[in-house]
Amino acid sequence: MSDYVERDPRFRALIAGSARLERLWTGGRWLEGPAWFPAFRSLLFSDIPNDRILRLDEADGHVSVFRQPAGFANGHTRDRAGRLVSCEHGNRRVTRTEHDGRITVLAERFGGHRFNSPNDVVAKSDGSIWFSDPTYGIDSDYEGHRAASEIGAAHVYRIDPDGTVTAVATDRVQPNGLAFSPDETILYIADTGATHRPGLPATIHAYPVSADGRSLGAPRLFATCPAGLYDGFRLDSAGNLWTSTGEGVHVHAPDGAHLGTILVPEVVANLCFGGAKRNRLFITATTSLYAIYLHANGA
Ligand code: MG
């Protein structure tokens, strides 16, 4: 169990004891936004400072460039129709890549103002797309294009299938990673505001989703990060939350308890479940892509 730190006996059932963390590829600058495409046995992920989206072919392990330039893309997800949905720092928008390869802009403004730099994104079963909009892509020229915030705040938004954009969480400093519980009754949101307000706790909050699935209630604190920041995260089918941290991947039970840690030798930015059985965790960590097989399956 050298790659793991157990903190709660429940952790053991989620881990394949003989499975080891594998470094699949290295050579990026800041890797982010992994999304799994089962039909192509491929993982797409971002290398933000190099302005490219990379593709891992699971069949032979080959990594190649999928798109460059890529609008300084950060987070990605796969929508219910299997299409790539991307957050673009550089173009300050959320896009969808259609089956024929064309790119459709899903959202680029709110109240007439450009977004800051969409960061992470999830698709809901009703066809809506939810994304966070912190300022990291406009803070410097390294991960996008330096610019002032037009909105003057960092929110989480919902895009309806008809294109309507609504702010759904306006109480965070720098909302970052986000994901729904498997039954979509909770939206979890990470806040990395400590990058701009030193001393601010690095947290994940749990927001109850309204009965109509369109708005959020008052949040409760779910977890506070003891090692760096929570950035991207995803949930397994049992509702456990697997999150990036500065020391690896932390696993939290639905009750918030920190069950254990998968140690990773680089700062982890994001992760997703993949593989034919969704039991392989792909981890984007600074310059490298890692993976590990689990006894847990992605939601
Ligand atoms: Mg992020």
Side-chain angles (χ1 to χ4, degrees):
M1 296 277 282
S2 59
D3 295 334
Y4 309 101
V5 177
E6 180 184 312
R7 294 171 54 94
D8 182 304
R10 287 177 281 177
F11 186 60
R12 216 165 294 175
L14 302 172
I15 295 301
S18 63
R20 286 286 167 269
L21 184 73
E22 302 167 71
R23 191 171 78 173
L24 302 183
W25 182 82
T26 193
R29 284 203 162 88
W30 183 255
L31 302 184
E32 261 280 8
W36 176 253
F37 291 80
F40 308 103
R41 291 188 62 186
S42 290
L43 183 86
L44 296 182
F45 57 103
S46 297
D47 180 6
I48 302 176
N50 286 321
D51 194 12
R52 58 183 179 171
I53 301 172
L54 300 171
R55 171 179 44 207
L56 168 75
D57 180 337
E58 193 200 31
D60 65 5
H62 186 70
V63 171
S64 57
V65 176
F66 173 76
R67 179 181 296 163
Q68 189 178 32
F72 287 91
N74 183 340
H76 304 281
T77 196
R78 180 170 46 83
D79 75 6
R80 302 284 160 161
R83 296 168 294 192
L84 171 68
V85 176
S86 302
C87 292
E88 300 181 10
H89 279 182
N91 297 319
R92 300 171 70 167
R93 66 187 189 182
V94 179
T95 62
R96 182 176 66 214
T97 301
E98 308 294 347
H99 291 302
D100 65 4
R102 286 177 303 153
I103 293 176
T104 300
V105 178
L106 298 183
E108 54 187 347
R109 287 176 187 274
F110 181 70
H113 302 294
R114 298 182 75 190
F115 292 119
N116 299 320
S117 49
N119 186 293
D120 208 348
V121 60
V122 287
K124 196 164 174 291
S125 62
D126 61 5
S128 59
I129 300 292
W130 300 52
F131 70 97
S132 61
D133 184 43
T135 61
Y136 299 108
I138 56 172
D139 287 341
S140 74
D141 288 322
Y142 187 58
E143 293 197 16
H145 308 295
R146 184 194 297 271
S149 172
E150 296 186 13
I151 294 171
H155 300 323
V156 172
Y157 299 92
R158 186 192 76 241
I159 310 170
D160 287 329
D162 69 1
T164 305
V165 179
T166 306
V168 289
T170 59
D171 57 344
R172 301 264 59 96
V173 177
Q174 293 278 22
N176 201 320
L178 74 172
F180 287 101
S181 60
D183 62 5
E184 298 184 336
T185 62
I186 301 168
L187 180 71
Y188 296 94
I189 301 175
D191 192 336
T192 51
T195 55
H196 289 65
R197 290 192 198 171
L200 194 79
T203 57
I204 294 174
H205 281 79
Y207 290 75
V209 179
S210 62
D212 68 3
R214 296 173 55 80
S215 60
L216 302 175
R220 63 181 164 83
L221 178 63
F222 178 75
T224 301
C225 192
L229 303 170
Y230 298 130
D231 191 340
F233 56 87
R234 289 291 183 259
L235 286 94
D236 68 25
S237 58
N240 299 302
L241 188 151
W242 301 67
T243 181
S244 59
T245 74
E247 66 178 6
V249 176
H250 286 194
V251 187
H252 288 265
D255 64 12
H258 179 192
L259 302 182
T261 299
I262 301 169
L263 297 171
V264 178
E266 297 181 75
V267 171
V268 177
N270 218 323
L271 51 79
C272 76
F273 292 90
K277 298 175 180 173
R278 301 184 63 76
N279 64 340
R280 193 178 194 192
L281 193 68
F282 290 99
I283 301 163
T284 51
T286 311
T287 65
S288 306
L289 174 69
Y290 296 84
I292 190 165
Y293 282 98
L294 306 168
H295 288 328
N297 306 82

